[in-house]
Amino acid sequence: MYFAALLARTEDGWEASDTELDDVETLSDLADLAREASPDEDTVFVLIEQEDSWFGLVRVDGEEDPRIFVSDAAAAARSAYGELLLTDELLGREPGADDVPDLDALDLDGTEDGESEEEPDDEEDPAAAAGAVPHGPVGDGGILDDLGVGEKELRGLDPNEALAEIAEALGASEVLETVR
């Protein structure tokens, strides 16, 4: 179960709207969806919550590149909606890098070089590490700094309560609750 909403800052305060992400295929599509919610190029947040697992924020300020924070990248990677947010740049990967290791270059069981299968390999497999998604938060921890929520506070939020606590800190809890 997931929840997604747009939270747009306007002259009159915050406005929230429930949103479906089924037709969104890329981060660019998500940013465009956010920009449509604020014709005056004000700040818009896309709030995504995967029940009991992770939450994500995308901040769009006008035509600037979106800023992203994900509370648990490994959990988000198991979700189609999380995959929208986990860009190569966010994960520290080379953009467009092939995530599939070269099978001819892998030492699959350690016996090709005459090693015993029972000998432990103390070194981490670089091919596996290259495609690994880190556990824990990734992205711009300062995404809410100017709105009163610091990085340490953001990283410490419980995924079940995070969006409500963020909305409360922004003074938008009532409008967010109307779309929940």
Side-chain angles (χ1 to χ4, degrees), residues 6-17 42-45 59 61 144 147 166-176:
L6 297 173
L7 191 59
R9 184 167 42 180
T10 68
E11 289 178 4
D12 301 325
W14 291 98
E15 291 182 8
S17 57
D42 290 318
T43 299
V44 178
F45 288 99
R59 180 177 179 160
D61 293 302
L144 297 171
L147 299 169
I166 290 168
E168 185 175 323
L170 300 177
S173 57
E174 288 181 22
V175 295
L176 184 60

Side-chain angles (χ1 to χ4, degrees), residues 12-26:
D12 301 325
W14 291 98
E15 291 182 8
S17 57
D18 188 13
T19 189
E20 285 293 324
L21 301 178
D22 294 339
D23 295 331
V24 176
E25 294 180 10
T26 65

Side-chain angles (χ1 to χ4, degrees), residues 5 22 37 47 49 55 76 78 84 95 105 112 115-117 120 126 130 135 141 147 155 174-175 177:
D22 294 339
L47 310 170
E49 178 181 78
F55 70 93
R78 294 186 296 270
L84 289 171
E112 286 82 3
E115 297 173 324
S116 166
E117 287 184 33
H135 289 275
L147 299 169
R155 290 180 181 269
E174 288 181 22
V175 295
E177 282 304 312

Side-chain angles (χ1 to χ4, degrees), residues 36-143:
E36 290 171 11
S38 177
D40 296 330
E41 297 189 5
D42 290 318
T43 299
V44 178
F45 288 99
V46 179
L47 310 170
I48 303 172
E49 178 181 78
Q50 186 82 33
E51 187 175 301
D52 297 330
S53 187
W54 65 276
F55 70 93
L57 305 172
V58 178
R59 180 177 179 160
V60 178
D61 293 302
E63 291 300 317
E64 293 181 28
D65 287 340
R67 296 168 58 191
I68 306 164
F69 176 82
V70 176
S71 67
D72 186 339
R78 294 186 296 270
S79 162
Y81 304 113
E83 288 179 352
L84 289 171
L85 308 180
L86 298 175
T87 63
D88 287 337
E89 182 180 344
L90 190 71
L91 296 173
R93 295 179 185 160
E94 191 67 34
D98 188 6
D99 290 338
V100 179
D102 178 9
L103 294 179
D104 294 330
L106 289 179
D107 182 10
L108 298 176
D109 64 3
T111 59
E112 286 82 3
D113 296 326
E115 297 173 324
S116 166
E117 287 184 33
E118 295 155 12
E119 286 182 34
D121 185 11
D122 292 336
E123 294 180 29
E124 187 174 325
D125 180 9
V133 175
H135 289 275
V138 294
D140 185 351
I143 195 169

